[in-house]
Amino acid sequence: MKYLLFFLCLTTLLYSCDDGDVIDVELDFQRDLERCGDDDGDTYILYETKTDPSESVSLLFPVAGNRDIFNPASNNSQKVLTINGSSIRFNYRSYDGDPDALICQVLPDPGVSIISDYEAAAGAVATFTTTFEDDDNDGIPSDLEGRGLQAEDGSYPDAIDTDGDGLPDYKDADDDNDNVLTINEVVEIDENGVLIALDTDEDGTPNYLDNDDDGDDVMTKDEDENGNLSLNDDFDENSPNINTPRYLDPLATEPFPQDDLIFTQFTRSLNIFVVISNASIEILNTDEIILGTYEMTRPLPIPEE
């Protein structure tokens, strides 16, 4: 499947000479990039479009050898590609209609056409910087989950694994394997970056790291009376805390042994920041164009125990 080639957008001033006059052309984009193509295809296109006027910017590059841009081994990874006018191309285009009717469309709208097409000369450089703050999307930044220092190979060899399941806390959606997701056991990160977490039994270990949240000597996962792997619908009718789930009620001490654990999918939210350097286009010569950021969330495999 072939996709039409288009361009990433941002706010930039273009200068062009016409009969000795300098013409200021402003490309007022939001720098929020979209993508055509997936990891199983041949080509990626990162792009942005706008209307009034109808314009687009896009960067085309091959999937082969570049999947790591969207699935990095480590945080803050960087990839540099050189534009060559064939497999790696950067363009700015204007249209007589909505660009979205053409970009990524297998059957483009025949009512929209390209008015002007400017392409960066070979030699320009596209730099991708891929970052992520919270590897497992559990509400706690990875830096606060005992990830430790990064080794030269990009790994974190000293990362803490509270529940010993082979998945370090910064990649684990349920850090203590108690069948209550970490994101549901953390209150918030305050404006000073301080983690505010629940600690029901006030033993100094927050619930998201405590496999006995209420300190009643019954493991949290074993307070699932109906066995549906949800802890919030199990109550002890004989307890004075009738509206408190068993796993948070220290007076509900009858165990219901549970061997099953909820399935958790390790997902990572990525920001791919793209900059074009040394771009030479007919209407633009500049040292740097900040194209913008492509945001995505992808599931990642969980290591076998």
Side-chain angles (χ1 to χ4, degrees):
M1 179 182 299
K2 292 184 178 180
Y3 295 95
L4 296 178
L5 175 62
F6 290 83
F7 294 67
L8 307 164
C9 268
L10 37 97
T11 303
T12 301
L13 289 179
L14 305 186
Y15 299 94
S16 177
C17 294
D18 182 9
D19 296 331
D21 297 327
V22 176
I23 302 173
D24 294 349
V25 180
E26 186 173 357
L27 298 181
D28 188 13
F29 288 87
Q30 298 299 312
R31 302 184 184 183
D32 296 326
L33 305 180
E34 302 291 339
R35 190 182 83 176
C36 303
D38 56 34
D39 296 341
D40 297 324
D42 297 323
T43 303
Y44 294 122
I45 300 175
L46 288 177
Y47 70 92
E48 187 175 0
T49 65
K50 63 187 289 288
T51 57
D52 193 26
S54 296
E55 299 169 331
S56 74
V57 286
S58 67
L59 178 66
L60 176 146
F61 54 101
V63 170
N66 296 309
R67 292 182 179 89
D68 57 336
I69 292 173
F70 306 101
N71 188 16
S74 61
N75 190 22
N76 203 37
S77 63
Q78 195 169 86
K79 190 73 172 282
V80 177
L81 301 178
T82 300
I83 291 169
N84 56 23
S86 55
S87 62
I88 305 174
R89 307 172 69 177
F90 170 67
N91 299 71
Y92 158 71
R93 289 177 175 170
S94 63
Y95 308 80
D96 61 2
D98 188 347
D100 286 333
L102 294 180
I103 293 183
C104 297
Q105 301 302 313
V106 177
L107 297 174
D109 187 340
V112 178
S113 58
I114 299 171
I115 297 175
S116 59
D117 186 358
Y118 298 95
E119 181 165 349
V125 173
T127 302
F128 305 80
T129 303
T130 306
T131 60
F132 46 88
E133 181 180 4
D134 180 5
D135 290 80
D136 50 9
N137 289 332
D138 66 355
I140 307 176
S142 297
D143 289 342
L144 297 181
E145 291 204 84
R147 187 173 60 180
L149 298 177
Q150 187 178 36
E152 291 185 2
D153 63 359
S155 66
Y156 293 89
D158 300 321
I160 294 173
D161 179 10
T162 296
D163 52 24
D165 64 355
L167 199 64
D169 290 359
Y170 79 94
K171 289 185 176 181
D172 197 340
D174 183 5
D175 294 326
D176 53 5
N177 268 359
D178 66 354
N179 283 343
V180 183
L181 295 180
T182 295
I183 196 169
N184 295 325
E185 298 190 275
V186 174
V187 178
E188 64 179 339
I189 305 294
D190 70 15
E191 59 184 12
N192 296 315
V194 176
L195 173 65
I196 301 175
L198 300 172
D199 181 9
T200 299
D201 55 14
E202 299 181 347
D203 64 352
T205 300
N207 287 6
Y208 77 95
L209 298 176
D210 192 343
N211 57 20
D212 179 11
D213 293 328
D214 55 7
D216 62 358
D217 293 328
V218 179
M219 301 279 282
T220 294
K221 69 180 183 64
D222 293 336
E223 302 204 56
D224 182 8
E225 183 175 4
N226 58 19
N228 66 352
L229 301 184
S230 175
L231 278 297
N232 288 305
D233 59 359
D234 299 281
F235 304 89
D236 184 355
E237 296 181 355
N238 297 317
S239 170
N241 306 314
I242 185 60
N243 294 319
T244 301
R246 282 181 172 274
Y247 80 100
L248 297 176
D249 181 1
L251 300 181
T253 57
E254 183 178 358
F256 301 90
Q258 175 63 263
D259 294 326
D260 293 333
L261 296 175
I262 58 174
F263 173 78
T264 57
Q265 177 66 62
F266 170 32
T267 60
R268 174 181 286 161
S269 294
L270 302 169
N271 293 316
I272 297 93
F273 180 66
V274 187
V275 175
I276 303 295
S277 302
N278 302 321
S280 178
I281 305 176
E282 290 180 44
I283 59 173
L284 171 65
N285 275 287
T286 182
D287 292 334
E288 183 176 277
I289 300 174
I290 300 175
L291 295 179
T293 301
Y294 174 63
E295 299 180 0
M296 66 177 294
T297 299
R298 67 178 304 137
L300 297 174
I302 295 178
E304 296 182 359
E305 296 183 23

